[in-house]
Amino acid sequence: MAKRRPSGDGMVRKRYDGRWEGRIVVGHKNNGEPIYRYVLAKTQSELTQKLHDKIEMYRDADLSEDCNMTLGEWLDKWIIEFMIFTIREGTLSAYKSLIEHQIKPYLGNRPLSTLTTNEIQKFYNAVKKNGRVHVDKEHGTELADSMVRKIHMLLHEALETAVRQRLAVNNPTNGTTIPKNNYPAKQILNDEQLERFMEIIKSDERWYDFFYTELTTGLRRGEICKLRWEDFDERNGKLKIRRSVGRIKNGVLPVGETKTEMGMREILLPPSTIELLLKRKENSVGNWIFPNFYRPEEPLNPQSAYTHLKVLLKKAGLPLIRFHDLRHTFATHAIAGGVDAKTLSGILGHTNASFTLDTYTHVTTDMQKNAAKIVGNFMDDIIGGMKNG
């Protein structure tokens, strides 16, 4: 149906309570009947101005019959009809949780097509302060900045779809202010610390292969725990990253796709890692490269890997870094050792090389300083040679 400019339909009247009421046509039902938006004002002149503003607001809009649904109803529909087959199971579960516990209690009953940017902004402020479902000893009911950002991204995507489906005239999340990224500081093991860590894992026969492979590939925790022997191309020395394992839920260890589409990748292994995996395969008893120690038919639980990492770090007298910081350690040493950002991006499964560069700016800055020194020394040698000549 072609878009039509909304207009007042001539219905202007004074109500029983003394206020003035008018309406405009903003869309059409499936049977062709008009969909109205009603406007109230204290005076007739004020109503005229408000009607004009509404007409401008709904310019070129032709909302569909479902535009009267609430935001909560739309989010339920959006998840089922638009998202269920497009995102990972873990992400879908997280979306559903945010909708039920954070968004619906505040905005679930609000009419979808009349939501305003001001309302969304007030919601962000409120959910930031009181959005945590379970009171935390340190943070109370306050949500982390990253959670507010996730809620914003979910709402933005859902409301963009609503606009495309003619359920809303614009996206009210545009123009809001959300917290900036506030990620925990990256930590890495420097050369000395890495050497100490390697010495410690050498004495741990059960875990040595796992952590050596991690430090030479930089895989995400869920990715390395979900490797099968079919992913190891021993002839070409490659490892195929195809899936990831999540946290245990209701006694089940969920298995899904990698974090991003770029996460589906093949990486070329160092010779030492190839040799390690070949030896490990000789004594393998199942399909998993790193199986559960007590139930080898299952993959290794990522939480077990994180817990044992803490044990090893403590034994080595090293900072208690996160498991993800082993990935940062790999990447930092790789790029400092001369691996270019594009190649490293492919190994890590990043969306693009610019993200890799942004993530490891501190390394590239150090490399630039080192390059400046090399060039400076080179030029000094040339100039010195010219003077001597």
Side-chain angles (χ1 to χ4, degrees), residues 23-42:
R23 66 186 184 186
I24 63 171
V25 178
V26 298
H28 296 83
K29 299 179 182 179
N30 295 334
N31 62 7
E33 293 180 4
I35 299 172
Y36 297 107
R37 284 289 175 270
Y38 290 85
V39 182
L40 294 177
K42 293 180 180 180

Side-chain angles (χ1 to χ4, degrees), residues 11-74:
M11 199 289 289
V12 174
R13 67 186 180 90
K14 193 171 185 179
R15 292 164 36 115
Y16 66 92
D17 59 2
R19 291 185 296 174
W20 286 82
E21 180 183 62
R23 66 186 184 186
I24 63 171
V25 178
V26 298
H28 296 83
K29 299 179 182 179
N30 295 334
N31 62 7
E33 293 180 4
I35 299 172
Y36 297 107
R37 284 289 175 270
Y38 290 85
V39 182
L40 294 177
K42 293 180 180 180
T43 66
Q44 189 171 9
S45 60
E46 181 185 356
L47 177 63
T48 300
Q49 182 59 49
K50 283 190 173 183
L51 284 173
H52 174 76
D53 293 342
K54 284 291 183 182
I55 289 173
E56 288 302 311
M57 175 181 174
Y58 287 95
R59 179 186 293 274
D60 295 328
D62 185 24
L63 301 183
S64 69
E65 188 166 351
D66 291 334
C67 69
N68 290 321
M69 70 171 61
T70 65
L71 176 62
E73 290 170 338
W74 165 242

Side-chain angles (χ1 to χ4, degrees), residues 192-359:
E192 181 184 344
Q193 292 171 329
L194 186 55
E195 186 175 345
R196 202 184 318 165
F197 184 74
M198 296 301 290
E199 287 298 322
I200 287 294
I201 65 173
K202 280 180 182 178
S203 61
D204 194 325
E205 292 184 6
R206 176 175 281 188
W207 285 93
Y208 175 76
D209 291 356
F210 177 85
F211 283 106
Y212 187 92
T213 302
E214 170 60 29
L215 286 167
T216 55
T217 59
L219 295 176
R220 298 180 178 94
R221 182 169 40 150
E223 293 173 342
I224 189 172
C225 289
K226 196 59 182 68
L227 290 173
R228 292 178 178 269
W229 284 115
E230 65 191 56
D231 303 323
F232 177 43
D233 179 357
E234 54 189 86
R235 175 177 294 182
N236 298 302
K238 293 181 178 180
L239 202 58
K240 300 175 183 178
I241 315 302
R242 293 290 180 267
R243 65 194 77 81
S244 180
V245 62
R247 296 179 180 180
I248 290 181
K249 293 181 180 179
N250 300 320
V252 178
L253 200 60
V255 175
E257 296 177 353
T258 54
K259 184 177 179 182
T260 64
E261 187 176 342
M262 286 297 295
M264 303 277 283
R265 61 199 188 278
E266 291 187 3
I267 59 175
L268 191 63
L269 296 170
S272 59
T273 308
I274 297 172
E275 183 180 352
L276 178 148
L277 291 178
L278 286 172
K279 289 181 179 179
R280 183 176 181 82
K281 190 175 182 180
E282 292 175 1
N283 300 314
S284 173
V285 294
N287 296 324
W288 304 107
I289 294 182
F290 301 108
N292 184 303
F293 296 118
Y294 307 104
R295 295 185 297 276
E297 70 278 6
E298 297 180 6
L300 183 66
N301 186 343
Q303 186 58 40
S304 299
Y306 176 72
T307 300
H308 198 71
L309 171 64
K310 296 297 183 183
V311 172
L312 293 171
L313 291 169
K314 190 172 183 179
K315 186 182 294 187
L318 295 171
L320 298 180
I321 62 174
R322 303 165 303 166
F323 191 95
H324 202 74
D325 288 324
L326 294 181
R327 179 172 164 88
H328 290 316
T329 295
F330 162 80
T332 299
H333 285 279
I335 201 167
V339 177
D340 66 276
K342 186 172 179 60
T343 300
L344 181 59
S345 175
I347 294 172
L348 295 174
H350 284 167
T351 306
N352 50 58
S354 63
F355 177 82
T356 305
L357 284 171
D358 289 342
T359 304

Side-chain angles (χ1 to χ4, degrees), residues 91-123:
T91 304
L92 185 67
S93 177
Y95 274 19
K96 289 180 178 179
S97 180
L98 290 176
I99 289 169
E100 292 299 323
H101 298 119
Q102 274 79 34
I103 300 175
K104 282 187 177 180
Y106 289 87
L107 294 174
N109 293 326
R110 288 288 296 118
L112 172 64
S113 61
T114 61
L115 278 171
T116 66
T117 299
N118 188 46
E119 280 183 291
I120 298 293
Q121 186 64 66
K122 287 182 177 179
F123 161 64

